[in-house]
Amino acid sequence: MADTQKAPVNFSLKQTPEPYTLCLDRPLGAVVTEQGTDVALWAPTAKSVELRLFSHGSAEEQDDQHIDSIAMTRQEDGSWTWHSDANLHGTYYDFLLRMDNNNIQRSADPWARAAGVNGRRSMIVDLSQTNPQGWDEDTRPQTTTQKTMVWEAHVGSFSNDPHSGVPEQLRGKYLAFTLNNTTLDNQDNGFPTCMAYLRELGVTAVQLLPFYDYGSVDESDPDGFNWGYDPVNYNVPEGSYATNPYDGAVRITECKQMIQALHAAGIKVIMDVVYNHMFVKDNWFERTVPGYFIRRLPGGDIANGSGCGNDMFTEHRMFRRFMVESVAYWAREYHVDGFRFDLMGLIDTDTMNDIRAALDVLPGGRDIIMYGEPWRADDTATLEGTLLADKEGLDKLDPRIGHFCDTTRDAIKGHVFEVMNQGFVNGDAAGHKEAVAFAVDAWRTPDTWEGYAGQIIQYVSAHDDYTLWDKLCISMYGEQISDLTALYEVEPSEAQQRVLEANKIAAGLIWTAAGIPFMLAGEEIAKTKYGNHNSFDSGKKVNQMDWTRAQRMQHLTDYYKRLIELRKDMPEWFSLAHEAVQTDGNHLAYRFGNCLALANPDNYEHMVQLGADDEDIMSGSRKLSRREEAPEWTCLLDSTVENQHEISCETSGQGRQGRTFVLPARSFRLWRMD
């Protein structure tokens, strides 16, 4: 979710921190072992709990049968338990809880690892029976943080386009990721789509919008669409992405196959997780322990810092336990390589650090990436002494927990909530030049410090708000958005060309900056949502990856490919100091290692003078004048040409005062001293 425009208030509550007996050690949920099946539910306020077993995941399914009802046994830790000597894999279940007022509350299992259609009933699962062929050999790509480059996608939007070349029955499904050679309209030797395209693009990580079980779509409706920021069952894969949403095991196997296919392509999988709120306040947690899992404001109203109707009580020990175990479960069972935390500013820093520690003890766990949004949407309430993982709490987080850098985003393209507000690339270079100079160095000065390079997610577009292309179109040309988002049929208009140039400068700044580069899937094809800034429920066509547009925008994609290729070749960009070179104008020049980046958003040419002392520093020599020969320079990237492997630009020569570089109007160039 986008950051908020006003600073939300955090109300501090002086209530009793833990009102009930805690269950911190017993496995909860339904667990299948060699000894049979164990079911445990933490419900300390219930007078009795009845476990019900069913043959199917919903009452609407043909031949659904109620198999049995069992009185569970209360334990001293507030849990209710039951054991069977049988392996009950594939059996569905729920609970009937009798509360103090003698009301009967039906609930599915908050700790469930499998569920039936729409998550209304939980399912007992023997996870060993859900592994696809070769799963034991699946390994995480050995991509270092320095080479991590993130492409944010939606499972459905990846292949929903009818022109994707994906068979209709697999469009929008987990299994679309297992197809290696799809092409536009399934043409022989045609334009690559989906996984074939992704391999050519070269990114090393895919961040997937939520693929746990969410409640905003009917899993039985193939036309349903939502981004998925509406958790119902945190530990269960979403059923609408499965070929059979009714069988609780199918979605697990197919989700694993998706991750396995991405790993086989050398691509890490980062999971978007939303522990800050749930689909509705009447959720399984609230039904099993009313009043414990959701924050309340001082007056008793439910806190709504998420803007979604409820805030989860992350500092309460049992939900903290759940979160820590849930993230570790996805990493361990599904081989997930990283986690992006929605509205991390609603999660307390202790919980975030405990999650980091839990991941670190897993095999290869220290390589699992963690980052989140350091903000919240509105006021919330926490226990007294709680520190939230918003911008004020960043310095209390483990240094290997990162965050999205909205200051970079807004400096480059203008404020996210003010669509006509312009940034460095789209009309207000003078007002943002200094900020962008800080941004490319990941804000690592004493006065602007936001963290180490590995904590800074550098971006100008994500699923929230306007796409980069739409923001540039509107902020540069206002009401012409409908014309400017159109595809290039023959030659771009002058306005489209200006937007394209601004897009390329923005990309150059992000992908040469220190920190971790991130982009919305489709930014590299000038993705448009036709001015829709909040398309979470706007349907498949608005949100999908448009593969016809991708073919027509190859010249822009090739520019991104070159930036990705260069970053792979020179991973030291990730942490090198990026130092500004003095320029008298709106254009920006900065050096890092032996590279020099030049960005000119103006409508006229600039000259950049690189002093002899700068060349000395970049070459590692103290006295360039003592060398017999001046250094050679190679232009690695030039936004003014389409073929980045046929660049012919030259410097204007070497003099006593250093070398002069020509920087055309509305351009980005990257040079390397050889």
Side-chain angles (χ1 to χ4, degrees):
M1 295 183 180
D3 51 327
T4 183
Q5 200 161 12
K6 74 179 183 71
V9 175
N10 178 30
F11 295 100
S12 182
L13 306 178
K14 295 183 179 181
Q15 65 190 66
T16 304
E18 291 297 341
Y20 308 121
T21 302
L22 299 177
C23 174
L24 299 177
D25 299 315
R26 182 188 306 277
L28 294 172
V31 181
V32 175
T33 67
E34 293 181 358
Q35 289 72 43
T37 302
D38 290 290
V39 180
L41 174 71
W42 186 65
T45 61
K47 294 176 64 175
S48 66
V49 177
E50 180 180 298
L51 171 67
R52 302 193 301 175
L53 304 180
F54 300 90
S55 61
H56 290 72
S58 67
E60 292 73 29
E61 293 175 62
Q62 187 176 6
D63 300 326
D64 175 57
Q65 296 181 8
H66 175 210
I67 298 172
D68 201 358
S69 292
I70 302 145
M72 300 184 74
T73 302
R74 185 184 182 98
Q75 304 297 335
E76 292 183 357
D77 58 9
S79 66
W80 298 79
T81 63
W82 176 74
H83 171 79
S84 170
D85 291 336
N87 182 328
L88 297 179
H89 171 75
T91 301
Y92 295 85
Y93 68 100
D94 66 8
F95 303 105
L96 294 181
L97 298 92
R98 183 180 296 275
M99 312 308 285
D100 284 340
N101 56 9
N102 284 323
N103 284 344
I104 302 297
Q105 182 77 278
R106 189 205 78 86
S107 180
D109 187 353
W111 302 73
R113 294 176 175 86
V117 65
N118 290 319
R120 307 304 295 173
R121 290 178 183 167
S122 306
M123 190 189 91
I124 297 169
V125 59
D126 181 349
L127 289 164
S128 66
Q129 297 188 40
T130 66
N131 293 339
Q133 185 177 0
W135 185 245
D136 289 342
E137 289 74 48
D138 178 71
T139 57
R140 294 190 175 95
Q142 299 301 302
T143 305
T144 63
T145 305
Q146 290 80 358
K147 289 189 177 182
T148 298
M149 295 172 274
V150 185
W151 193 74
E152 183 195 34
H154 178 278
V155 172
S157 296
F158 183 70
S159 59
N160 272 332
D161 184 358
H163 299 287
S164 66
V166 172
E168 184 175 1
Q169 67 272 21
L170 297 185
R171 289 177 198 155
K173 307 299 183 185
Y174 297 120
L175 292 184
F177 288 83
T178 67
L179 306 177
N180 286 320
N181 298 302
T182 56
T183 60
L184 186 67
D185 291 321
N186 205 26
Q187 297 175 352
D188 291 341
N189 301 314
F191 179 80
T193 62
C194 298
M195 285 298 291
Y197 169 88
L198 198 53
R199 289 196 305 272
E200 287 192 8
L201 182 61
V203 292
T204 58
V206 168
Q207 177 186 299
L208 293 172
L209 269 64
F211 58 92
Y212 52 68
D213 180 42
Y214 57 82
S216 46
V217 299
D218 180 351
E219 293 179 346
S220 66
D221 179 5
D223 294 325
F225 180 90
N226 201 280
W227 284 348
Y229 291 87
D230 307 294
V232 172
N233 293 291
Y234 282 116
N235 291 339
V236 178
E238 167 61 17
S240 65
Y241 302 144
T243 57
N244 181 359
Y246 294 93
D247 186 331
V250 169
R251 64 178 74 189
I252 297 175
T253 300
E254 292 181 352
C255 181
K256 289 179 176 179
Q257 287 178 280
M258 173 185 71
I259 294 169
Q260 185 180 37
L262 284 161
H263 284 175
I267 298 171
K268 286 188 171 186
V269 177
I270 298 171
M271 184 180 189
D272 195 333
V273 289
V274 188
Y275 294 106
N276 64 83
H277 75 275
M278 297 196 74
F279 178 43
V280 291
K281 61 185 178 182
D282 180 25
N283 53 64
W284 311 141
F285 288 98
E286 187 71 4
R287 287 191 183 189
T288 53
V289 192
Y292 178 81
F293 286 104
I294 298 178
R295 291 180 182 140
R296 263 74 176 179
L297 295 170
D301 292 337
I302 289 177
N304 189 25
S306 64
C308 298
N310 57 87
D311 298 346
M312 299 306 287
F313 220 140
T314 68
E315 64 271 38
H316 263 168
R317 292 289 300 284
M318 286 303 292
F319 195 65
R320 177 178 296 169
R321 175 195 169 175
F322 178 84
M323 286 181 63
V324 171
E325 292 184 358
S326 176
V327 173
Y329 170 71
W330 282 100
R332 184 179 60 252
E333 183 63 34
Y334 288 85
H335 304 177
V336 171
D337 307 286
F339 297 90
R340 176 266 191 195
F341 290 81
D342 182 70
L343 293 184
M344 187 173 68
L346 282 170
I347 304 171
D348 64 283
T349 57
D350 288 341
T351 297
M352 291 299 300
N353 288 331
D354 284 355
I355 292 171
R356 180 71 267 174
L359 292 176
D360 286 350
V361 300
L362 297 176
R366 291 188 65 84
D367 294 327
I368 295 174
I369 194 169
M370 280 180 65
Y371 56 82
E373 296 178 300
W375 50 71
R376 57 187 181 273
D378 210 334
D379 304 341
T380 193
T382 59
L383 294 181
E384 188 174 24
T386 299
L387 183 63
L388 293 174
D390 55 14
K391 291 192 175 183
E392 294 180 0
L394 291 178
D395 62 341
K396 299 300 187 295
L397 291 176
D398 185 290
R400 288 180 303 111
I401 298 175
H403 62 275
F404 285 91
C405 190
D406 56 338
T407 46
T408 291
R409 176 198 66 198
D410 291 352
I412 292 175
K413 70 172 187 179
H415 198 281
V416 69
F417 289 125
E418 300 171 13
V419 65
M420 297 305 296
N421 184 267
Q422 298 172 329
F424 178 78
V425 304
N426 51 333
D428 188 14
H432 292 87
K433 175 182 175 180
E434 182 180 18
V436 173
F438 288 131
V440 295
D441 190 46
W443 303 92
R444 293 175 296 173
T445 71
D447 293 335
T448 63
W449 180 263
E450 287 201 18
Y452 300 101
Q455 294 178 282
I456 310 300
I457 306 299
Q458 302 274 37
Y459 76 114
V460 284
S461 73
H463 66 276
D464 273 320
D465 308 306
Y466 294 98
T467 68
L468 175 61
W469 185 262
D470 288 354
K471 166 69 174 180
L472 296 176
C473 288
I474 299 172
S475 61
M476 294 170 72
Y477 292 98
E479 297 304 318
Q480 298 180 43
I481 178 68
S482 59
D483 297 329
L484 293 172
T485 56
L487 295 174
Y488 289 18
E489 296 294 344
V490 183
E491 292 291 336
S493 66
E494 180 180 351
Q496 286 174 321
Q497 184 62 35
R498 293 289 180 90
V499 175
L500 178 65
E501 291 162 346
N503 188 318
K504 287 185 174 182
I505 297 172
L509 293 168
I510 290 294
W511 288 84
T512 61
I516 297 174
F518 173 104
M519 67 173 169
L520 172 67
E523 180 189 306
E524 76 283 5
I525 65 167
K527 180 176 177 63
T528 179
K529 296 181 188 176
Y530 309 99
N532 187 329
H533 67 92
N534 192 22
S535 64
F536 71 99
D537 63 349
S538 298
K540 296 177 181 179
K541 187 171 183 179
V542 169
N543 287 278
Q544 72 190 12
M545 189 72 176
D546 184 340
W547 293 109
T548 302
R549 187 180 185 93
Q551 182 187 43
R552 292 176 176 170
M553 297 299 294
Q554 285 184 72
H555 56 286
L556 178 59
T557 306
D558 287 345
Y559 179 75
Y560 276 83
K561 284 182 183 178
R562 179 58 176 161
L563 282 164
I564 293 166
E565 177 184 44
L566 290 169
R567 190 146 188 135
K568 280 183 178 177
D569 290 343
M570 290 173 276
E572 64 273 13
W573 292 2
F574 162 82
S575 57
L576 283 173
H578 288 53
E579 300 175 284
V581 175
Q582 178 64 39
T583 57
D584 296 325
N586 293 331
H587 56 300
L588 181 68
Y590 51 97
R591 52 181 172 82
F592 45 106
N594 63 344
C595 292
L596 176 70
L598 308 171
N600 179 16
D602 286 337
N603 294 326
Y604 44 87
E605 179 183 279
H606 283 291
M607 307 291 282
V608 174
Q609 183 78 35
L610 187 65
D613 289 343
D614 290 312
E615 287 193 323
D616 288 346
I617 294 170
M618 296 174 69
S619 68
S621 169
R622 292 188 177 181
K623 292 293 183 181
L624 179 63
S625 59
R626 293 182 181 177
R627 293 197 214 120
E628 293 183 2
E629 296 182 5
E632 295 294 328
W633 286 86
T634 300
C635 189
L636 302 176
L637 183 82
D638 181 0
S639 67
T640 66
V641 301
E642 288 194 6
N643 190 335
Q644 293 301 312
H645 294 279
E646 295 182 1
I647 298 172
S648 60
C649 55
E650 299 178 356
T651 65
S652 63
Q654 171 72 27
R656 288 187 176 183
Q657 301 303 314
R659 190 178 300 269
T660 301
F661 296 82
V662 178
L663 187 53
R666 303 181 303 279
S667 70
F668 186 91
R669 281 181 172 177
L670 177 66
W671 293 83
R672 182 181 64 200
M673 179 190 291
D674 296 323

